[in-house]
Amino acid sequence: MSLRSVNCLLMLVVNFCLYMSVLCLFSSSSSIVNSHIDNSWLNELKGNIDETNSTVEIVDKFNNYQIYPRIISIVSKDYFKFFKVNLRRTCPFWSDDSKCAMRYCQVESCQLDDLPIGLKSSRHSLIDEDMSIKYMEGPQQQECEEAMQDELGYINTTISAAAMEDFALWQAHDDIQDMYCTLPDDDGEAEYVDLSLNPERYTGYKGPSANRVWNTIYRENCFRPNNIFEVYIISAKLTGMCLEKRAFYRAISGLHTRSTFLNPCGTGFWGPNAEEFERKFGPKYTKGEGTQWLRNLYFLYLVELRALQKAAPLLKQVEYYTGNDKEDEATRLAVHNFLGIIKKFPHQFNEHTMFLGGQQAQKLKEEFRLHFRNVSTIMDCVGCDKCKLWGKLQVQGLGTALKILFSNKARMNGYNELSTTVNKHTLQLERSEIVALFNAFGRLSTSIYEIEKFRKLLR
């Protein structure tokens, strides 16, 4: 075959692929429109968002025109696209050797040369030098030695190794009280992953393995009304629980709803699949609960938005260092602009209405935290690497939001935001927490933006 013939054949193949891609984006919507299915159910997704003082319409307008373009730009920056995660942890609850149904399950980890220089350097503590050693140098050392000769003034600073181990355990215990999820460890198992090379998409991971993960999360970790044994709680029955327990369930439901937006449009093509959207949220297939599940996604959006707003003073102090001065400055400007925009949004989730009532409320708050930590551990039971990657990221993002909203170390300033004073008694965020929070919120923002696409397709 001549070179010209080969080129012609290649052009035919390319044109056919482009045609199929376009056809796929619209075929599902036309099949819905041409059928006799009543698509007006999505019109019910409007009005108040439960447990907040906001509405679907307000969030749609704010997100789609102001937030979505900004958050997508931010998470594409180098600082936010490299996420450290341990995908090798085994499931502590059951043995799972299930395989993903598609090649899109595989995660590409980063080589050291691919990382920005700022991520290759070791972590530095807030205190760069031991001040006790500094003041033992020079003339002061002799004076100190002479003073130590006086037995009445002598202080024995010897501490046993066993006591030092106890101190480490106590510190670890204090630190974990503010943690709502497990963080990537530094035991050599955690790796950096370039999220831009591993986009969140449908992987074919479904069936008993995937169902077991969500069933365990709902049945064993979500608070439940008495005598309710179904996996998913009917929204009308949530009124039988207190605000805190309802909020926990809605947040988990919002995470679950977010994960169902990943629909393939034929093999190798990705785009809005209205038929699949109808199947997952239409009243015919969800016993009328689909719009409530979508409403829970809006609730989760407002929770994480509130956390970002509250943490704005701390987030403005971050250098977002990668070693590329131009990129780092652009990232700081983008983040500061974004934080300025969200500060103007008045219809927030109000965390101050939760965990009131003394000792009993504090006990419930601890249960809340432990339940969510268990959810983060269940992510190690996901049998698909790419699903596990994005599941861990979004759970860690929500865990960071809960830490910001409810931590005992979250001290407030006069503007109802976190104090910018950094010491051992105030809340601090690690890089992985910041990256997870922004990316998780970016996924929620994208989902709300896509809902408007489905409104148009179903219309």
Side-chain angles (χ1 to χ4, degrees), residues 299-319:
F299 169 79
L300 181 58
Y301 175 94
L302 289 173
V303 169
E304 295 192 10
L305 178 65
R306 170 57 184 152
L308 285 162
Q309 185 193 50
K310 188 174 181 180
L314 297 182
L315 295 172
K316 287 180 180 177
Q317 289 187 332
V318 178
E319 290 296 320

mmCIF file with all atom_site columns, all heavy atoms in Angstrom, residues 299-319:
data_model
loop_
_atom_site.group_PDB
_atom_site.id
_atom_site.type_symbol
_atom_site.label_atom_id
_atom_site.label_alt_id
_atom_site.label_comp_id
_atom_site.label_asym_id
_atom_site.label_entity_id
_atom_site.label_seq_id
_atom_site.pdbx_PDB_ins_code
_atom_site.Cartn_x
_atom_site.Cartn_y
_atom_site.Cartn_z
_atom_site.occupancy
_atom_site.B_iso_or_equiv
_atom_site.pdbx_formal_charge
_atom_site.auth_seq_id
_atom_site.auth_comp_id
_atom_site.auth_asym_id
_atom_site.auth_atom_id
_atom_site.pdbx_PDB_model_num
ATOM 1   N N   . PHE A 1 299 ? -25.715 20.623 49.417 1.00 0.00 ? 299 PHE A N   1
ATOM 2   C CA  . PHE A 1 299 ? -25.412 20.790 50.839 1.00 0.00 ? 299 PHE A CA  1
ATOM 3   C C   . PHE A 1 299 ? -23.916 20.618 51.093 1.00 0.00 ? 299 PHE A C   1
ATOM 4   O O   . PHE A 1 299 ? -23.283 21.434 51.784 1.00 0.00 ? 299 PHE A O   1
ATOM 5   C CB  . PHE A 1 299 ? -26.198 19.767 51.667 1.00 0.00 ? 299 PHE A CB  1
ATOM 6   C CG  . PHE A 1 299 ? -25.771 19.687 53.106 1.00 0.00 ? 299 PHE A CG  1
ATOM 7   C CD1 . PHE A 1 299 ? -26.193 20.632 54.019 1.00 0.00 ? 299 PHE A CD1 1
ATOM 8   C CD2 . PHE A 1 299 ? -24.932 18.669 53.542 1.00 0.00 ? 299 PHE A CD2 1
ATOM 9   C CE1 . PHE A 1 299 ? -25.798 20.578 55.355 1.00 0.00 ? 299 PHE A CE1 1
ATOM 10  C CE2 . PHE A 1 299 ? -24.530 18.600 54.862 1.00 0.00 ? 299 PHE A CE2 1
ATOM 11  C CZ  . PHE A 1 299 ? -24.965 19.555 55.774 1.00 0.00 ? 299 PHE A CZ  1
ATOM 12  N N   . LEU A 1 300 ? -23.330 19.562 50.524 1.00 0.00 ? 300 LEU A N   1
ATOM 13  C CA  . LEU A 1 300 ? -21.905 19.322 50.700 1.00 0.00 ? 300 LEU A CA  1
ATOM 14  C C   . LEU A 1 300 ? -21.082 20.463 50.112 1.00 0.00 ? 300 LEU A C   1
ATOM 15  O O   . LEU A 1 300 ? -20.069 20.879 50.687 1.00 0.00 ? 300 LEU A O   1
ATOM 16  C CB  . LEU A 1 300 ? -21.518 17.993 50.030 1.00 0.00 ? 300 LEU A CB  1
ATOM 17  C CG  . LEU A 1 300 ? -20.058 17.565 50.127 1.00 0.00 ? 300 LEU A CG  1
ATOM 18  C CD1 . LEU A 1 300 ? -19.617 17.450 51.578 1.00 0.00 ? 300 LEU A CD1 1
ATOM 19  C CD2 . LEU A 1 300 ? -19.840 16.241 49.392 1.00 0.00 ? 300 LEU A CD2 1
ATOM 20  N N   . TYR A 1 301 ? -21.511 20.986 48.991 1.00 0.00 ? 301 TYR A N   1
ATOM 21  C CA  . TYR A 1 301 ? -20.850 22.134 48.366 1.00 0.00 ? 301 TYR A CA  1
ATOM 22  C C   . TYR A 1 301 ? -20.790 23.304 49.351 1.00 0.00 ? 301 TYR A C   1
ATOM 23  O O   . TYR A 1 301 ? -19.749 23.946 49.521 1.00 0.00 ? 301 TYR A O   1
ATOM 24  C CB  . TYR A 1 301 ? -21.617 22.522 47.101 1.00 0.00 ? 301 TYR A CB  1
ATOM 25  C CG  . TYR A 1 301 ? -21.134 23.768 46.393 1.00 0.00 ? 301 TYR A CG  1
ATOM 26  C CD1 . TYR A 1 301 ? -20.228 23.688 45.342 1.00 0.00 ? 301 TYR A CD1 1
ATOM 27  C CD2 . TYR A 1 301 ? -21.602 25.032 46.752 1.00 0.00 ? 301 TYR A CD2 1
ATOM 28  C CE1 . TYR A 1 301 ? -19.788 24.829 44.672 1.00 0.00 ? 301 TYR A CE1 1
ATOM 29  C CE2 . TYR A 1 301 ? -21.174 26.186 46.093 1.00 0.00 ? 301 TYR A CE2 1
ATOM 30  C CZ  . TYR A 1 301 ? -20.269 26.072 45.054 1.00 0.00 ? 301 TYR A CZ  1
ATOM 31  O OH  . TYR A 1 301 ? -19.839 27.204 44.403 1.00 0.00 ? 301 TYR A OH  1
ATOM 32  N N   . LEU A 1 302 ? -21.902 23.588 50.025 1.00 0.00 ? 302 LEU A N   1
ATOM 33  C CA  . LEU A 1 302 ? -21.952 24.714 50.962 1.00 0.00 ? 302 LEU A CA  1
ATOM 34  C C   . LEU A 1 302 ? -21.100 24.458 52.203 1.00 0.00 ? 302 LEU A C   1
ATOM 35  O O   . LEU A 1 302 ? -20.526 25.395 52.771 1.00 0.00 ? 302 LEU A O   1
ATOM 36  C CB  . LEU A 1 302 ? -23.396 24.996 51.361 1.00 0.00 ? 302 LEU A CB  1
ATOM 37  C CG  . LEU A 1 302 ? -24.268 25.612 50.253 1.00 0.00 ? 302 LEU A CG  1
ATOM 38  C CD1 . LEU A 1 302 ? -25.716 25.690 50.700 1.00 0.00 ? 302 LEU A CD1 1
ATOM 39  C CD2 . LEU A 1 302 ? -23.754 26.996 49.862 1.00 0.00 ? 302 LEU A CD2 1
ATOM 40  N N   . VAL A 1 303 ? -21.001 23.203 52.634 1.00 0.00 ? 303 VAL A N   1
ATOM 41  C CA  . VAL A 1 303 ? -20.142 22.869 53.777 1.00 0.00 ? 303 VAL A CA  1
ATOM 42  C C   . VAL A 1 303 ? -18.684 23.182 53.448 1.00 0.00 ? 303 VAL A C   1
ATOM 43  O O   . VAL A 1 303 ? -17.970 23.842 54.229 1.00 0.00 ? 303 VAL A O   1
ATOM 44  C CB  . VAL A 1 303 ? -20.300 21.390 54.166 1.00 0.00 ? 303 VAL A CB  1
ATOM 45  C CG1 . VAL A 1 303 ? -19.227 20.972 55.175 1.00 0.00 ? 303 VAL A CG1 1
ATOM 46  C CG2 . VAL A 1 303 ? -21.678 21.137 54.762 1.00 0.00 ? 303 VAL A CG2 1
ATOM 47  N N   . GLU A 1 304 ? -18.215 22.718 52.297 1.00 0.00 ? 304 GLU A N   1
ATOM 48  C CA  . GLU A 1 304 ? -16.820 22.933 51.935 1.00 0.00 ? 304 GLU A CA  1
ATOM 49  C C   . GLU A 1 304 ? -16.557 24.389 51.567 1.00 0.00 ? 304 GLU A C   1
ATOM 50  O O   . GLU A 1 304 ? -15.470 24.917 51.831 1.00 0.00 ? 304 GLU A O   1
ATOM 51  C CB  . GLU A 1 304 ? -16.424 21.985 50.801 1.00 0.00 ? 304 GLU A CB  1
ATOM 52  C CG  . GLU A 1 304 ? -16.467 20.521 51.235 1.00 0.00 ? 304 GLU A CG  1
ATOM 53  C CD  . GLU A 1 304 ? -15.817 19.569 50.255 1.00 0.00 ? 304 GLU A CD  1
ATOM 54  O OE1 . GLU A 1 304 ? -15.148 20.028 49.301 1.00 0.00 ? 304 GLU A OE1 1
ATOM 55  O OE2 . GLU A 1 304 ? -15.966 18.348 50.439 1.00 0.00 ? 304 GLU A OE2 1
ATOM 56  N N   . LEU A 1 305 ? -17.548 25.052 50.985 1.00 0.00 ? 305 LEU A N   1
ATOM 57  C CA  . LEU A 1 305 ? -17.403 26.478 50.700 1.00 0.00 ? 305 LEU A CA  1
ATOM 58  C C   . LEU A 1 305 ? -17.243 27.269 51.992 1.00 0.00 ? 305 LEU A C   1
ATOM 59  O O   . LEU A 1 305 ? -16.415 28.186 52.083 1.00 0.00 ? 305 LEU A O   1
ATOM 60  C CB  . LEU A 1 305 ? -18.618 26.978 49.916 1.00 0.00 ? 305 LEU A CB  1
ATOM 61  C CG  . LEU A 1 305 ? -18.641 28.470 49.571 1.00 0.00 ? 305 LEU A CG  1
ATOM 62  C CD1 . LEU A 1 305 ? -17.496 28.819 48.625 1.00 0.00 ? 305 LEU A CD1 1
ATOM 63  C CD2 . LEU A 1 305 ? -19.981 28.859 48.953 1.00 0.00 ? 305 LEU A CD2 1
ATOM 64  N N   . ARG A 1 306 ? -18.024 26.910 53.013 1.00 0.00 ? 306 ARG A N   1
ATOM 65  C CA  . ARG A 1 306 ? -17.936 27.584 54.307 1.00 0.00 ? 306 ARG A CA  1
ATOM 66  C C   . ARG A 1 306 ? -16.556 27.367 54.931 1.00 0.00 ? 306 ARG A C   1
ATOM 67  O O   . ARG A 1 306 ? -15.972 28.297 55.512 1.00 0.00 ? 306 ARG A O   1
ATOM 68  C CB  . ARG A 1 306 ? -19.038 27.069 55.235 1.00 0.00 ? 306 ARG A CB  1
ATOM 69  C CG  . ARG A 1 306 ? -18.910 27.526 56.686 1.00 0.00 ? 306 ARG A CG  1
ATOM 70  C CD  . ARG A 1 306 ? -18.872 29.023 56.802 1.00 0.00 ? 306 ARG A CD  1
ATOM 71  N NE  . ARG A 1 306 ? -18.643 29.442 58.193 1.00 0.00 ? 306 ARG A NE  1
ATOM 72  C CZ  . ARG A 1 306 ? -18.044 30.572 58.540 1.00 0.00 ? 306 ARG A CZ  1
ATOM 73  N NH1 . ARG A 1 306 ? -17.619 31.411 57.610 1.00 0.00 ? 306 ARG A NH1 1
ATOM 74  N NH2 . ARG A 1 306 ? -17.866 30.872 59.808 1.00 0.00 ? 306 ARG A NH2 1
ATOM 75  N N   . ALA A 1 307 ? -16.010 26.168 54.803 1.00 0.00 ? 307 ALA A N   1
ATOM 76  C CA  . ALA A 1 307 ? -14.683 25.888 55.360 1.00 0.00 ? 307 ALA A CA  1
ATOM 77  C C   . ALA A 1 307 ? -13.617 26.745 54.675 1.00 0.00 ? 307 ALA A C   1
ATOM 78  O O   . ALA A 1 307 ? -12.713 27.279 55.330 1.00 0.00 ? 307 ALA A O   1
ATOM 79  C CB  . ALA A 1 307 ? -14.359 24.407 55.217 1.00 0.00 ? 307 ALA A CB  1
ATOM 80  N N   . LEU A 1 308 ? -13.704 26.870 53.363 1.00 0.00 ? 308 LEU A N   1
ATOM 81  C CA  . LEU A 1 308 ? -12.755 27.705 52.629 1.00 0.00 ? 308 LEU A CA  1
ATOM 82  C C   . LEU A 1 308 ? -12.874 29.167 53.058 1.00 0.00 ? 308 LEU A C   1
ATOM 83  O O   . LEU A 1 308 ? -11.868 29.861 53.221 1.00 0.00 ? 308 LEU A O   1
ATOM 84  C CB  . LEU A 1 308 ? -13.001 27.571 51.123 1.00 0.00 ? 308 LEU A CB  1
ATOM 85  C CG  . LEU A 1 308 ? -12.514 26.274 50.479 1.00 0.00 ? 308 LEU A CG  1
ATOM 86  C CD1 . LEU A 1 308 ? -13.175 26.064 49.127 1.00 0.00 ? 308 LEU A CD1 1
ATOM 87  C CD2 . LEU A 1 308 ? -10.991 26.291 50.329 1.00 0.00 ? 308 LEU A CD2 1
ATOM 88  N N   . GLN A 1 309 ? -14.089 29.624 53.246 1.00 0.00 ? 309 GLN A N   1
ATOM 89  C CA  . GLN A 1 309 ? -14.298 31.001 53.684 1.00 0.00 ? 309 GLN A CA  1
ATOM 90  C C   . GLN A 1 309 ? -13.728 31.223 55.084 1.00 0.00 ? 309 GLN A C   1
ATOM 91  O O   . GLN A 1 309 ? -13.060 32.224 55.348 1.00 0.00 ? 309 GLN A O   1
ATOM 92  C CB  . GLN A 1 309 ? -15.786 31.336 53.674 1.00 0.00 ? 309 GLN A CB  1
ATOM 93  C CG  . GLN A 1 309 ? -16.090 32.791 54.009 1.00 0.00 ? 309 GLN A CG  1
ATOM 94  C CD  . GLN A 1 309 ? -17.563 33.015 54.304 1.00 0.00 ? 309 GLN A CD  1
ATOM 95  O OE1 . GLN A 1 309 ? -18.157 32.305 55.106 1.00 0.00 ? 309 GLN A OE1 1
ATOM 96  N NE2 . GLN A 1 309 ? -18.160 33.994 53.642 1.00 0.00 ? 309 GLN A NE2 1
ATOM 97  N N   . LYS A 1 310 ? -13.970 30.279 55.965 1.00 0.00 ? 310 LYS A N   1
ATOM 98  C CA  . LYS A 1 310 ? -13.513 30.398 57.345 1.00 0.00 ? 310 LYS A CA  1
ATOM 99  C C   . LYS A 1 310 ? -11.988 30.349 57.442 1.00 0.00 ? 310 LYS A C   1
ATOM 100 O O   . LYS A 1 310 ? -11.380 31.026 58.279 1.00 0.00 ? 310 LYS A O   1
ATOM 101 C CB  . LYS A 1 310 ? -14.135 29.276 58.183 1.00 0.00 ? 310 LYS A CB  1
ATOM 102 C CG  . LYS A 1 310 ? -13.892 29.381 59.682 1.00 0.00 ? 310 LYS A CG  1
ATOM 103 C CD  . LYS A 1 310 ? -14.670 28.294 60.404 1.00 0.00 ? 310 LYS A CD  1
ATOM 104 C CE  . LYS A 1 310 ? -14.476 28.374 61.913 1.00 0.00 ? 310 LYS A CE  1
ATOM 105 N NZ  . LYS A 1 310 ? -15.242 27.309 62.610 1.00 0.00 ? 310 LYS A NZ  1
ATOM 106 N N   . ALA A 1 311 ? -11.356 29.545 56.598 1.00 0.00 ? 311 ALA A N   1
ATOM 107 C CA  . ALA A 1 311 ? -9.904  29.375 56.645 1.00 0.00 ? 311 ALA A CA  1
ATOM 108 C C   . ALA A 1 311 ? -9.163  30.396 55.790 1.00 0.00 ? 311 ALA A C   1
ATOM 109 O O   . ALA A 1 311 ? -7.936  30.326 55.668 1.00 0.00 ? 311 ALA A O   1
ATOM 110 C CB  . ALA A 1 311 ? -9.537  27.964 56.187 1.00 0.00 ? 311 ALA A CB  1
ATOM 111 N N   . ALA A 1 312 ? -9.868  31.347 55.204 1.00 0.00 ? 312 ALA A N   1
ATOM 112 C CA  . ALA A 1 312 ? -9.249  32.303 54.274 1.00 0.00 ? 312 ALA A CA  1
ATOM 113 C C   . ALA A 1 312 ? -8.009  32.993 54.836 1.00 0.00 ? 312 ALA A C   1
ATOM 114 O O   . ALA A 1 312 ? -6.997  33.110 54.135 1.00 0.00 ? 312 ALA A O   1
ATOM 115 C CB  . ALA A 1 312 ? -10.288 33.326 53.827 1.00 0.00 ? 312 ALA A CB  1
ATOM 116 N N   . PRO A 1 313 ? -8.013  33.483 56.096 1.00 0.00 ? 313 PRO A N   1
ATOM 117 C CA  . PRO A 1 313 ? -6.800  34.142 56.607 1.00 0.00 ? 313 PRO A CA  1
ATOM 118 C C   . PRO A 1 313 ? -5.583  33.228 56.612 1.00 0.00 ? 313 PRO A C   1
ATOM 119 O O   . PRO A 1 313 ? -4.468  33.672 56.325 1.00 0.00 ? 313 PRO A O   1
ATOM 120 C CB  . PRO A 1 313 ? -7.198  34.554 58.036 1.00 0.00 ? 313 PRO A CB  1
ATOM 121 C CG  . PRO A 1 313 ? -8.681  34.675 57.986 1.00 0.00 ? 313 PRO A CG  1
ATOM 122 C CD  . PRO A 1 313 ? -9.127  33.588 57.053 1.00 0.00 ? 313 PRO A CD  1
ATOM 123 N N   . LEU A 1 314 ? -5.768  31.950 56.946 1.00 0.00 ? 314 LEU A N   1
ATOM 124 C CA  . LEU A 1 314 ? -4.654  31.004 56.923 1.00 0.00 ? 314 LEU A CA  1
ATOM 125 C C   . LEU A 1 314 ? -4.223  30.711 55.495 1.00 0.00 ? 314 LEU A C   1
ATOM 126 O O   . LEU A 1 314 ? -3.025  30.629 55.199 1.00 0.00 ? 314 LEU A O   1
ATOM 127 C CB  . LEU A 1 314 ? -5.048  29.697 57.623 1.00 0.00 ? 314 LEU A CB  1
ATOM 128 C CG  . LEU A 1 314 ? -5.387  29.774 59.107 1.00 0.00 ? 314 LEU A CG  1
ATOM 129 C CD1 . LEU A 1 314 ? -5.709  28.386 59.639 1.00 0.00 ? 314 LEU A CD1 1
ATOM 130 C CD2 . LEU A 1 314 ? -4.258  30.387 59.894 1.00 0.00 ? 314 LEU A CD2 1
ATOM 131 N N   . LEU A 1 315 ? -5.179  30.548 54.607 1.00 0.00 ? 315 LEU A N   1
ATOM 132 C CA  . LEU A 1 315 ? -4.869  30.216 53.219 1.00 0.00 ? 315 LEU A CA  1
ATOM 133 C C   . LEU A 1 315 ? -4.168  31.369 52.511 1.00 0.00 ? 315 LEU A C   1
ATOM 134 O O   . LEU A 1 315 ? -3.395  31.144 51.568 1.00 0.00 ? 315 LEU A O   1
ATOM 135 C CB  . LEU A 1 315 ? -6.152  29.835 52.477 1.00 0.00 ? 315 LEU A CB  1
ATOM 136 C CG  . LEU A 1 315 ? -6.850  28.561 52.984 1.00 0.00 ? 315 LEU A CG  1
ATOM 137 C CD1 . LEU A 1 315 ? -8.200  28.382 52.304 1.00 0.00 ? 315 LEU A CD1 1
ATOM 138 C CD2 . LEU A 1 315 ? -5.975  27.341 52.761 1.00 0.00 ? 315 LEU A CD2 1
ATOM 139 N N   . LYS A 1 316 ? -4.416  32.593 52.948 1.00 0.00 ? 316 LYS A N   1
ATOM 140 C CA  . LYS A 1 316 ? -3.736  33.743 52.354 1.00 0.00 ? 316 LYS A CA  1
ATOM 141 C C   . LYS A 1 316 ? -2.272  33.807 52.770 1.00 0.00 ? 316 LYS A C   1
ATOM 142 O O   . LYS A 1 316 ? -1.454  34.454 52.110 1.00 0.00 ? 316 LYS A O   1
ATOM 143 C CB  . LYS A 1 316 ? -4.448  35.038 52.754 1.00 0.00 ? 316 LYS A CB  1
ATOM 144 C CG  . LYS A 1 316 ? -5.780  35.254 52.059 1.00 0.00 ? 316 LYS A CG  1
ATOM 145 C CD  . LYS A 1 316 ? -6.434  36.552 52.501 1.00 0.00 ? 316 LYS A CD  1
ATOM 146 C CE  . LYS A 1 316 ? -7.769  36.757 51.803 1.00 0.00 ? 316 LYS A CE  1
ATOM 147 N NZ  . LYS A 1 316 ? -8.452  37.995 52.270 1.00 0.00 ? 316 LYS A NZ  1
ATOM 148 N N   . GLN A 1 317 ? -1.920  33.154 53.869 1.00 0.00 ? 317 GLN A N   1
ATOM 149 C CA  . GLN A 1 317 ? -0.535  33.155 54.343 1.00 0.00 ? 317 GLN A CA  1
ATOM 150 C C   . GLN A 1 317 ? 0.321   32.109 53.635 1.00 0.00 ? 317 GLN A C   1
ATOM 151 O O   . GLN A 1 317 ? 1.545   32.182 53.690 1.00 0.00 ? 317 GLN A O   1
ATOM 152 C CB  . GLN A 1 317 ? -0.490  32.886 55.852 1.00 0.00 ? 317 GLN A CB  1
ATOM 153 C CG  . GLN A 1 317 ? -1.005  34.040 56.701 1.00 0.00 ? 317 GLN A CG  1
ATOM 154 C CD  . GLN A 1 317 ? -0.784  33.781 58.172 1.00 0.00 ? 317 GLN A CD  1
ATOM 155 O OE1 . GLN A 1 317 ? -0.751  32.631 58.612 1.00 0.00 ? 317 GLN A OE1 1
ATOM 156 N NE2 . GLN A 1 317 ? -0.607  34.838 58.944 1.00 0.00 ? 317 GLN A NE2 1
ATOM 157 N N   . VAL A 1 318 ? -0.291  31.133 53.013 1.00 0.00 ? 318 VAL A N   1
ATOM 158 C CA  . VAL A 1 318 ? 0.458   30.059 52.364 1.00 0.00 ? 318 VAL A CA  1
ATOM 159 C C   . VAL A 1 318 ? 1.227   30.618 51.164 1.00 0.00 ? 318 VAL A C   1
ATOM 160 O O   . VAL A 1 318 ? 0.706   31.445 50.402 1.00 0.00 ? 318 VAL A O   1
ATOM 161 C CB  . VAL A 1 318 ? -0.499  28.937 51.905 1.00 0.00 ? 318 VAL A CB  1
ATOM 162 C CG1 . VAL A 1 318 ? 0.262   27.838 51.172 1.00 0.00 ? 318 VAL A CG1 1
ATOM 163 C CG2 . VAL A 1 318 ? -1.245  28.365 53.114 1.00 0.00 ? 318 VAL A CG2 1
ATOM 164 N N   . GLU A 1 319 ? 2.468   30.186 50.996 1.00 0.00 ? 319 GLU A N   1
ATOM 165 C CA  . GLU A 1 319 ? 3.299   30.660 49.890 1.00 0.00 ? 319 GLU A CA  1
ATOM 166 C C   . GLU A 1 319 ? 2.992   29.936 48.580 1.00 0.00 ? 319 GLU A C   1
ATOM 167 O O   . GLU A 1 319 ? 3.336   30.429 47.505 1.00 0.00 ? 319 GLU A O   1
ATOM 168 C CB  . GLU A 1 319 ? 4.783   30.462 50.233 1.00 0.00 ? 319 GLU A CB  1
ATOM 169 C CG  . GLU A 1 319 ? 5.297   31.380 51.336 1.00 0.00 ? 319 GLU A CG  1
ATOM 170 C CD  . GLU A 1 319 ? 5.243   32.851 50.929 1.00 0.00 ? 319 GLU A CD  1
ATOM 171 O OE1 . GLU A 1 319 ? 5.552   33.155 49.770 1.00 0.00 ? 319 GLU A OE1 1
ATOM 172 O OE2 . GLU A 1 319 ? 4.896   33.683 51.785 1.00 0.00 ? 319 GLU A OE2 1
#
